[in-house]
Amino acid sequence: MVNTTTTKHTSDFLIENKVNVPKEFNRIASRYDFATSMSQGYQQDLNTSARRMNLKGNEHVLDLCCGTGKSTLACLGVLPNGKITGVDNSEEMLAIAEKKFSKEIQSGKVEFMLKDAMKLDFPENSFDAIFMAYGLRNMPDYEACVQGLYRILKPGGTLCIHDYSLSDTWYSRPYWKILGYGFIIPISTILTGNSTIFSYLIKSVLNFLTPNQAKALLDKNGFKEISAKPLSGWRAPIQHTILAKKPN
Ligand SMILES: C[S@@+](CC[C@H](N)C(=O)[O-])C[C@H]1O[C@@H](n2cnc3c(N)ncnc32)[C@H](O)[C@@H]1O
């Protein structure tokens, strides 16, 4: 039997076996916040997507694939009176999130749970909104995941997908390859000592849905008021906030 905690995987193995991606995040968890803080605009972009959900501020939000809690922080910024459930399937990423938000956990504003995003066992209509930052791309079956999200979202609830999703322009793919192979892999490998997850990142983005394909998938699965908005600056051709609502 393969021990997925200690076995070293290749990026191609992870593309084929995405269920092992959280285990790979375990390896870089302690350096994840430092590495992403070197990525200009990382937290600001999460904050922008969280604001785009246009919440009232008292909702219960599922921060799916919350990692070390950078997306949780973005959600907190728009929920002065709300509650956040953070879910991730990497023990080590969650351990860091729990340390960071110990005050909010104690007050009952934030809770974290270890779960597979493909097997969410929350009751139907549980959440007012779902924020999924850099999550859907890591799912082995995008459509099955989206169907699960629809089930647990309340009628009228908002789904926000924040991810590297390459627009349909001719230059977005070569631009991503230059960024990925020229900068992201070499720099992140120096910062974290691990190249596998970053090499996987570049490939998984090349295989992921374009904003138009993501919109079509959401439409096919019953969502309404679907939109895709680019993030600003150098990320505009490669990163989007995709928003949709479950009809009332
Ligand atoms: C790039 S991190 C994003 C973390 C955070 N949302 C952020 O914006 O910084 C992706 C996260 O997805 C988690 N993940 C990947 N596949 C998952 C799955 N099937 N179920 C739950 N979490 C998963 C990983 O463990 C990792 O923490």
Side-chain angles (χ1 to χ4, degrees), residues 71-87:
S71 42
T72 314
L73 185 65
C75 291
L76 272 172
V78 296
L79 289 167
N81 304 307
K83 187 181 163 176
I84 302 166
T85 299
V87 163

Side-chain angles (χ1 to χ4, degrees), residues 22 25 32 42 65-67 71 88-90 93 115-117 133-134:
F25 271 97
Y32 182 82
Y42 187 90
C65 299
C66 63
S71 42
D88 201 282
N89 216 17
S90 159
M93 295 288 272
K115 281 182 196 291
D116 183 345
Y134 310 108

Side-chain angles (χ1 to χ4, degrees), residues 18-19 21-23 25-26 32-33 36 42 46 63-72 87-90 93-94 115-118 131-135 137-140 162 201:
K18 288 187 174 177
V19 71
V21 168
K23 299 288 166 259
F25 271 97
N26 277 339
Y32 182 82
D33 282 357
T36 48
Y42 187 90
L46 286 168
D63 176 16
L64 191 53
C65 299
C66 63
T68 61
K70 288 202 161 188
S71 42
T72 314
V87 163
D88 201 282
N89 216 17
S90 159
M93 295 288 272
L94 273 186
K115 281 182 196 291
D116 183 345
M118 290 298 300
F131 191 70
M132 195 175 190
Y134 310 108
R137 182 173 38 80
N138 292 315
M139 297 301 117
H162 169 102
L201 164 70

Side-chain angles (χ1 to χ4, degrees), residues 43-64 70-80 82-85 127-133 149 153 156-163 223-231 240-246:
Q43 186 65 53
Q44 289 93 315
D45 283 343
L46 286 168
N47 298 347
T48 299
S49 285
R51 277 197 304 275
R52 284 174 172 172
M53 286 194 285
N54 232 344
L55 299 176
K56 290 198 292 279
N58 60 355
E59 291 88 343
H60 184 190
V61 174
L62 172 64
D63 176 16
L64 191 53
K70 288 202 161 188
S71 42
T72 314
L73 185 65
C75 291
L76 272 172
V78 296
L79 289 167
K83 187 181 163 176
I84 302 166
T85 299
F127 297 100
D128 298 299
I130 300 173
F131 191 70
M132 195 175 190
L149 303 186
L153 200 54
T158 302
L159 170 64
C160 178
I161 292 163
H162 169 102
D163 216 319
F223 285 91
K224 299 286 175 227
E225 299 179 47
I226 305 164
S227 66
K229 296 180 189 172
L231 274 307
H240 292 80
T241 316
I242 295 155
L243 292 161
K245 281 197 184 286
K246 177 170 172 174

